[in-house]
Amino acid sequence: ILHTILFHRALGLVRPKDADLELFDITYVQCGDLEIEKKIEEKIEQFISWVEKHPNEKSQVCGV
């Protein structure tokens, strides 16, 4: 879902790329920029790590 949000907010020329998520049987859009996709994945991993270390605290993802 984060890839799709960033795709819609990306500035400049982007080449959309469909990605399939077999676990939930859905297709979503990625922005197609490998650098951006790498940063998104890093931030997702950081978020998951934080949630696992603080299981009883509320957490949220927000875009700035």
Side-chain angles (χ1 to χ4, degrees):
I1 293 174
L2 292 175
H3 286 279
T4 301
I5 292 168
L6 289 172
F7 166 75
H8 285 289
R9 292 186 177 188
L11 300 175
L13 179 65
V14 294
R15 299 186 191 281
K17 179 177 84 172
D18 288 343
D20 294 316
L21 184 57
E22 293 180 14
L23 179 64
F24 297 110
D25 193 29
I26 62 171
T27 300
Y28 62 96
V29 178
Q30 292 181 331
C31 69
D33 184 319
L34 294 178
E35 293 285 324
I36 293 174
E37 289 179 21
K38 182 179 175 183
K39 288 182 181 185
I40 294 169
E41 293 299 325
E42 288 172 359
K43 295 298 181 182
I44 291 170
E45 290 299 322
Q46 288 174 3
F47 180 75
I48 291 170
S49 176
W50 189 90
V51 169
E52 288 174 342
K53 291 177 184 174
H54 305 91
N56 296 321
E57 292 187 36
K58 288 185 178 181
S59 52
Q60 68 181 25
V61 175
C62 61
V64 178

